[in-house]
């Protein structure tokens, strides 16, 4: 065959392949005739390649051996580039050495993008082993081989008839294999069409999706529930699995080692052995997770060349079992863990732009996890402190009915109240350190405990308060505490006050009078000054103790709730049970202050029965 004949045959082949594409588009439900004709054209293409090689060998040797070799290479490149079907030249290991423009167009990749990458990664997972067997057979026997398989790349999937032929490339020391792929079940883009991912509209949409991801992540992680409950990690992984990946894996560092925390499998994937194998796989054996945790920076594999990156399962490399085509792994926070996203072969690969936005997601997630841990730690501390300044339940005091209400403020406060047994009767106490936070609460807890302990040996509340004051001054906390203590023996109650608000006595007829109160708060001077008083609590009378937070509550005009409003409110509660009284007081205060609570509200009521 002469060169003009060869060029004419190539032009004719181009025309027939174009006709086959039109037939495929016009009759999508009747593929058998089109497929038969396509296979025939594949045979024709192989024959033309063979005849081109023979023709090159017959070329005259003008200009010496070097010039002839150059002409051969030039002609071969021209034929290779002009060939109207995808042709890939592979080395013995299946690595792509050359691809023609038609291959790039069909697979949707930039020219030369696949060169140097492993071709089996494009082949359907179920057919990779068969492909490698065919490749080895062609290299060893020299006999061509053809079989049907599926190729996936850049979000495109193609069912192709793949023909393999051994060839010797000029200047190459090892034998090569030419793979000719004729798609049989896809509608190919028109020649010269711009790739969708390169269009301005697609780029804008992709950028908008990335920005939307950051916004949704921030909204999700700033939710109050994400602080109170350990939901930040599962919520984020589920969100990413819904729109950004087929598999999402979160590994958190605990005791210095990464531990697999969450695995989200594809929605279409049954919850079965593979998902459980991924969950049970030790992330310490994953190259990519170890690399990300060590370097504290993310990595992206647009094409997964090494399928062992994520470790192994019973079926072999995890990424092989998952059908991975692309992978991105980013740190969670500052080395708190690693977030791995995997896409299968039939999905668009991750890009550097995706890596950038996912690193930001990982950073936000790490901050949320740390904030959650800190919040829960502080919450547990606050609960413990609250338990140390307020009893869970009030004991039954013979001859009396008691009730209390405790409303926490905006921060960890320092108010306390208590009812406890004493020598020969019962005791009660109320007070609070001047200040807020954990230190103030701990001081209040110390005073409450001191009142309880010392009351076992002393039946004089004034003496007990003075001893607690001595201990508080010796501690050198720098805080002072307002406190009120009372000892109950029969109907007689002895009160001792250290700068606390006076108790209110509600009589059955609705009359309200206040105790003397007085004294100096604890912790100010070694010599405590207390205000003492003794009264008799008859049947139907109610003694009410209240905190500074109740009296100092303010309305919109800045006016305090005050003791006069309290007395008026108590007058309307005459004859009612202590539980009703304390609830009525809190409800009235809430209406007065518009539902706002700044300081702790404590009310304790004791009624003679």
């Amino acid at each position: 065959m002469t060169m003009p004949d060869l060029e004419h045959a190539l032009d004719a082949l181009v025309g027939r392949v174009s006709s086959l594409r039109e037939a495929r588009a016009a009759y999508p439900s009747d593929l058998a005739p089109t497929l038969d004709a396509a296979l025939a054209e594949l045979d024709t293409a192989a024959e033309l390649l063979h005849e081109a090689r023979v023709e090159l060998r017959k070329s005259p040797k003008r200009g010496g051996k070097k010039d002839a070799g150059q002409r051969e290479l030039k002609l071969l490149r021209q034929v290779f580039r002009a060939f109207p079907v995808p042709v890939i030249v592979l080395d013995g290991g299946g690595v792509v050495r050359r691809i023609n423009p038609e291959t790039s167009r069909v697979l949707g990749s930039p020219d030369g993008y696949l060169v140097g990458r492993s071709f089996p990664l494009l082949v359907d997972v179920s057919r990779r082993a068969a492909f490698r067997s065919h490749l080895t057979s062609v290299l060893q026997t020299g006999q061509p081989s053809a079989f049907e398989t599926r190729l996936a790349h850049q979000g495109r999937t193609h069912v192709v008839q793949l023909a393999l032929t051994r060839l010797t490339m000029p200047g190459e020391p090892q034998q090569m294999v030419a793979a000719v792929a004729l798609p049989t079940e896809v509608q190919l883009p028109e020649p010269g069409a711009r790739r969708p991912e390169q269009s301005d509209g697609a780029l804008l949409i992709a950028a908008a999706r990335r920005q939307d991801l950051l916004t949704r992540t921030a909204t999700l992680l700033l939710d109050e529930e994400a602080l109170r409950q350990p939901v930040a990690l599962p919520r984020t992984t589920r969100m990413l699995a819904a729109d950004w990946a087929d598999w999402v894996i979160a590994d958190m560092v605990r005791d210095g080692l990464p531990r697999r925390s969450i695995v989200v499998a594809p929605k279409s994937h049954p919850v079965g052995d593979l998902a459980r194998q991924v969950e049970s796989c030790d992330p310490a054996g994953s190259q990519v997770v170890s690399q990300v945790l060590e370097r504290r920076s993310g990595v992206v594999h647009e094409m997964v060349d090494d399928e062992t990156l994520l470790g192994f399962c019973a079926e072999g490399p995890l990424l092989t079992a998952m059908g991975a085509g692309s992978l991105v792994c980013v740190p969670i926070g500052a080395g708190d863990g690693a977030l791995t996203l995997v896409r299968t072969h039939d999905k668009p690969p991750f890009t550097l732009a995706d890596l950038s936005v996912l690193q930001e997601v990982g950073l936000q997630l790490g901050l949320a996890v740390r904030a959650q841990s800190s919040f829960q730690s502080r919450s547990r501390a606050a609960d413990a402190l609250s338990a140390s300044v307020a009893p869970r339940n009030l004991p039954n005091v013979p001859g009396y009915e008691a009730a209390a209400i405790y409303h926490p403020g905006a921060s960890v406060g320092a108010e306390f109240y208590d009812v406890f047994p004493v020598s020969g009767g019962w005791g009660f106490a109320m007070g609070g350190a001047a200040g807020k936070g954990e230190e103030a609460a701990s001081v209040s807890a110390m005073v409450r405990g001191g009142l309880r302990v010392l009351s076992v040996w002393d039946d004089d509340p004034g003496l007990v308060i003075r001893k607690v004051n001595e201990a508080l001054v010796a501690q050198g906390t720098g805080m002072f505490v307002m406190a009120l203590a009372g000892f109950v023996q029969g109907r007689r109650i002895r009160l001792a006050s250290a700068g606390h608000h006076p108790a209110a006595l509600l009589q059955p007829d609705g009359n309200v009078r206040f105790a003397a109160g007085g004294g100096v708060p604890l912790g100010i001077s070694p010599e405590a000054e207390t205000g003492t008083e003794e009264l008799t609590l008859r049947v139907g009378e109610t003694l009410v103790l209240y905190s500074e937070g109740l009296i100092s509550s303010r309305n919109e005009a800045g006016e305090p709730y005050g003791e006069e409003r309290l007395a008026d409110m108590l007058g309307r509660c005459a004859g009612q049970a202590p539980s009703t009284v304390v609830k009525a007081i809190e409800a009235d205060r809430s209406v007065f202050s518009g539902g706002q609570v700044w300081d702790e509200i404590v009310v304790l009521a004791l009624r003679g029965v």
Side-chain angles (χ1 to χ4, degrees):
M1 177 181 289
T2 64
M3 286 305 300
D5 293 335
L6 180 58
E7 293 176 357
H8 178 74
L10 280 173
D11 290 340
L13 179 60
V14 171
R16 291 195 298 274
V17 170
S18 178
S19 297
L20 285 174
R21 289 178 182 145
E22 294 174 0
R24 167 68 180 85
Y27 305 100
S29 61
D30 189 13
L31 294 178
T34 303
L35 179 58
D36 291 340
L39 294 176
E41 295 301 341
L42 189 61
D43 292 336
T44 301
E47 292 175 5
L48 287 175
L49 281 176
H50 176 73
E51 291 178 6
R53 185 170 58 181
V54 172
E55 187 65 27
L56 286 173
R57 289 175 178 173
K58 292 179 181 180
S59 299
K61 301 294 190 280
R62 292 177 298 175
K65 184 179 294 186
K66 182 176 180 180
D67 291 343
Q70 291 296 327
R71 285 196 298 273
E72 283 189 15
L73 287 174
K74 185 176 181 180
L75 179 59
L76 191 57
R77 289 194 189 101
Q78 182 179 353
V79 172
F80 183 71
R81 294 187 63 82
F83 218 60
V85 292
V87 181
I88 307 99
V89 178
L90 312 174
D91 64 16
V95 176
V96 176
R97 301 299 298 272
R98 303 283 189 279
I99 59 172
N100 68 340
E102 184 67 8
T103 304
S104 297
R105 187 183 70 81
V106 169
L107 295 180
S109 62
D111 290 342
Y113 175 77
L114 294 174
V115 174
R117 301 182 184 270
S118 177
F119 184 76
L121 295 177
L122 303 178
V123 179
D124 185 69
V125 176
S126 64
R127 298 288 287 163
R128 286 180 188 173
F131 170 79
R132 291 190 173 99
S133 298
H134 282 279
L135 181 66
T136 301
S137 175
V138 169
L139 285 168
Q140 291 178 349
T141 67
Q143 296 297 316
S145 179
F147 66 102
E148 187 176 81
T149 188
R150 209 166 64 111
L151 300 181
H153 181 58
Q154 295 283 1
R156 304 182 181 192
T157 303
H158 313 266
V159 176
V160 302
Q161 188 70 20
L162 195 63
L164 305 178
T165 303
R166 189 177 72 181
L167 54 85
T168 301
M169 296 283 288
E172 292 288 349
Q174 60 175 317
Q175 290 182 325
M176 300 288 180
V177 171
V180 181
L182 185 63
T184 59
E185 291 189 11
V186 293
Q187 177 66 46
L188 298 177
E190 291 300 321
R194 195 180 187 190
R195 291 191 297 126
E197 61 271 25
Q198 292 180 329
S199 69
D200 294 338
L203 289 174
L204 286 174
I205 292 175
R209 286 186 69 240
R210 296 185 187 103
Q211 186 61 42
D212 177 65
L213 175 63
L214 290 178
T215 302
R216 291 169 60 196
T217 301
T219 302
L220 181 150
L221 297 179
L222 288 175
D223 182 73
E224 183 177 355
E225 187 181 1
L227 290 175
R228 297 184 178 278
Q229 302 293 332
V231 297
L233 197 61
R235 279 184 173 182
T236 304
T237 51
R238 286 197 301 268
M239 178 185 68
L240 292 171
D243 298 319
W244 279 79
D246 295 293
W247 292 83
V248 179
I249 303 170
D251 300 312
M252 300 302 296
V253 175
R254 299 189 185 93
D255 300 324
L257 293 174
R259 308 290 184 186
R260 186 130 298 167
S261 298
I262 293 179
V263 174
V264 183
K267 292 181 179 179
S268 58
H269 194 281
V271 179
D273 291 339
L274 181 55
R276 282 193 283 269
Q277 288 184 56
V278 177
E279 290 172 347
S280 62
C281 187
D282 184 3
S286 166
Q287 299 177 43
V288 69
V289 171
S290 298
Q291 176 186 344
V292 167
L293 290 177
E294 179 181 353
R295 299 180 181 177
R296 296 193 177 184
S297 62
V299 295
V300 60
H301 293 267
E302 295 184 49
M303 284 187 65
V304 177
D305 294 320
D306 183 358
E307 294 174 305
T308 67
L309 285 174
L310 205 58
F312 295 83
C313 64
E315 301 176 17
L318 267 180
L319 292 176
T320 302
M322 297 162 74
S326 182
L327 173 150
V328 64
C329 185
V330 297
I332 296 175
D336 299 317
L339 188 65
T340 306
L341 285 74
V342 176
R343 286 178 182 168
T344 55
H345 288 275
D346 55 348
K347 301 294 177 58
F350 289 108
T351 65
L352 286 174
D354 296 330
L355 172 64
S356 177
V357 72
L358 288 171
Q359 286 198 135
E360 182 64 27
V361 170
L363 177 62
Q364 292 186 21
L365 179 58
L367 292 174
V369 170
R370 289 204 170 192
Q372 171 190 297
S373 176
S374 176
F375 180 87
Q376 291 181 342
S377 176
R378 288 179 175 272
S379 179
R380 286 191 292 270
D383 290 343
L385 286 171
S386 296
S388 69
V389 298
R392 295 184 180 275
N393 298 293
L394 292 178
N396 292 321
V397 180
Y400 294 90
E401 185 179 0
I405 188 167
Y406 177 86
H407 200 312
S411 60
V412 178
E415 295 287 345
F416 70 89
Y417 73 95
D418 201 1
V419 176
F420 47 88
V422 299
S423 177
W426 287 84
F428 57 84
M430 179 175 289
K436 298 295 177 186
E438 298 175 4
E439 184 179 3
S442 65
V443 170
S444 289
M446 181 178 67
V447 171
R448 177 197 176 204
L451 292 173
R452 260 182 170 261
V453 172
L454 294 175
S455 297
V456 173
W457 292 282
D458 293 310
D459 58 2
D460 180 0
L463 179 59
V464 170
I465 283 183
R466 287 192 292 274
K467 289 183 177 180
V468 170
N469 177 70
E470 292 177 10
L472 185 60
V473 171
Q475 290 292 324
T477 63
M479 289 190 175
F480 63 87
V481 180
M482 295 184 294
L484 175 68
F487 285 5
V488 180
Q489 291 180 323
R491 292 295 171 189
R492 188 166 58 97
I493 297 180
R494 286 182 292 171
L495 295 174
S497 172
H500 199 274
H501 292 286
L505 180 64
L506 171 61
Q507 298 174 328
D509 60 0
N511 184 40
V512 177
R513 71 178 183 87
F514 289 90
V520 176
L522 306 177
I524 294 179
S525 170
E527 299 296 330
E529 297 182 17
T530 60
T532 60
E533 182 178 1
E534 185 174 312
L535 55 86
T536 300
L537 192 65
R538 298 181 178 83
V539 175
E541 293 183 331
T542 303
L543 188 67
V544 179
L545 285 69
Y546 49 92
S547 67
E548 168 67 20
L550 173 68
I551 299 303
S552 61
S553 293
R554 297 183 179 274
N555 59 14
E556 294 181 354
E559 301 169 334
Y561 185 80
E563 291 177 345
E564 290 186 9
R565 185 180 179 99
L566 173 63
D568 182 63
M569 182 64 219
L570 287 173
R572 299 197 296 270
C573 295
Q576 297 184 8
S579 58
T580 303
V581 173
V582 296
K583 290 178 181 178
I585 293 173
E586 166 56 13
D588 184 62
R589 183 215 62 83
S590 180
V591 172
F592 175 80
S593 60
Q596 297 295 318
V597 179
W598 290 274
D599 294 328
E600 294 162 290
I601 309 297
V602 184
V603 181
L604 172 65
L606 189 68
R607 181 189 185 198
V609 292

